[in-house]
Amino acid sequence: AQTVTQSQPEMSVQEAETVTLSCTYDTSESDYYLFWYKQPPSRQMILVIRQEAYKQQNATENRFSVNFQKAAKSFSLKISDSQLGDAAMYFCAYGDDKIIFGKGTRLHILP
Amino acid sequence: EAQVTQNPRYLITVTGKKLTVTCSQNMNHEYMSWYRQDPGLGLRQIYYSMNVEVTDKGDVPEGYKVSRKEKRNFPLILESPSPNQTSLYFCASSLNGYRSGANVLTFGAGSRLTVL
């Protein structure tokens, strides 16, 4: 069965610095999708980034980028120039016929 | 505005008192799903629906029921709530039922349920 592991329950980063959130997954599939969702204090779940496994190029959305290592089954999220509004719970998710979420990493931004 | 609307947003109830959490989407999405979020456990899927009249169990279906009589609505029913169902609940939808894990989910705002 597919699993998603986020090994860092909490992280902190200084405002304007760069932080990387780690995510590993386990699957025997070759065609799948990976996601990062953000949950700010408002509780709303918001898509940050989506990666298609068959694409080698790492997805990027403004200050958010991923490091997708398919062989290592790793999908880390890098946030550059961290801002106070980035403070949230971040969920990594794996999807093929269904979607599975990791347990989340709570990110604190220090002013 | 394209959205998923769930109600109520907050509810405190007592053990055994039946309740329904409604979910409605206005995007003509085929796929709808319910999740519960608990500290340290992430989001776990309760039930999902690939289209009208098609529903299936997720990872934690015990104590819950759903129905999908119309494409836009997917209510979650707790027939006899118990304290272990105290949680934050999310309804979500996506465009396609097939390969649903490939699609971006649109989430509702969440419903905080407390069962005393």
Side-chain angles (χ1 to χ4, degrees):
Chain A
Q2 291 85 351
T3 58
V4 178
T5 301
Q6 294 180 250
S7 58
Q8 306 146 316
E10 284 195 68
M11 296 187 71
S12 296
V13 64
Q14 209 74 36
E15 193 176 4
E17 297 293 308
T18 295
V19 64
T20 299
L21 281 59
S22 65
C23 173
T24 58
Y25 58 93
D26 190 26
T27 184
S28 58
E29 301 290 330
S30 59
D31 182 18
Y32 52 87
Y33 298 79
L34 297 162
F35 306 83
W36 280 98
Y37 284 90
K38 171 185 177 181
Q39 186 182 44
S42 66
R43 302 186 328 209
Q44 182 69 50
M45 293 284 287
I46 304 162
L47 176 72
V48 176
I49 210 159
R50 176 178 180 263
Q51 174 82 42
E52 299 164 9
Y54 63 85
K55 287 188 176 179
Q56 291 192 337
Q57 186 171 2
N58 290 324
T60 299
E61 286 288 339
N62 301 315
R63 297 181 294 107
F64 298 85
S65 62
V66 296
N67 183 5
F68 173 46
Q69 302 286 333
K70 191 171 185 178
K73 298 179 183 175
S74 171
F75 185 61
S76 59
L77 176 69
K78 185 172 84 170
I79 307 173
S80 304
D81 184 26
S82 298
Q83 300 175 359
L84 294 177
D86 295 334
M89 180 75 87
Y90 287 83
F91 291 99
C92 178
Y94 164 96
D96 49 37
D97 291 329
K98 63 181 292 187
I99 189 164
I100 299 167
F101 290 87
K103 295 182 179 180
T105 296
R106 185 170 299 281
L107 179 64
H108 303 278
I109 309 295
L110 306 174
Chain B
E1 180 189 354
Q3 59 185 357
V4 176
T5 303
Q6 52 181 110
N7 284 294
R9 296 286 312 280
Y10 300 90
L11 180 63
I12 300 174
T13 190
V14 296
T15 299
K17 187 176 181 182
K18 179 180 178 179
L19 67 93
T20 299
V21 187
T22 63
C23 175
S24 180
Q25 50 93 6
N26 62 359
M27 296 165 283
N28 202 36
H29 282 175
E30 288 185 350
Y31 181 85
M32 297 186 75
S33 181
W34 277 101
Y35 297 89
R36 61 177 289 174
Q37 181 181 357
D38 302 289
L41 296 178
L43 276 80
R44 295 180 293 167
Q45 190 177 50
I46 302 170
Y47 269 95
Y48 64 96
S49 169
M50 306 226 338
N51 214 324
V52 177
E53 301 292 0
V54 180
T55 63
D56 209 345
K57 296 177 180 178
D59 299 315
V60 288
E62 294 77 21
Y64 305 94
K65 284 176 58 177
V66 293
S67 67
R68 187 97 182 268
K69 294 185 173 63
E70 306 165 282
K71 198 171 189 177
R72 64 183 293 125
N73 296 323
F74 191 46
L76 179 69
I77 303 158
L78 285 74
E79 292 271 3
S80 182
S82 61
N84 65 10
Q85 293 179 298
T86 292
S87 188
L88 177 60
Y89 290 87
F90 285 98
C91 182
S93 71
S94 66
L95 187 60
N96 296 317
Y98 176 71
R99 291 285 284 179
S100 60
N103 300 313
V104 174
L105 287 167
T106 301
F107 284 86
S111 296
R112 171 74 67 188
L113 172 64
T114 301
V115 183
L116 303 175

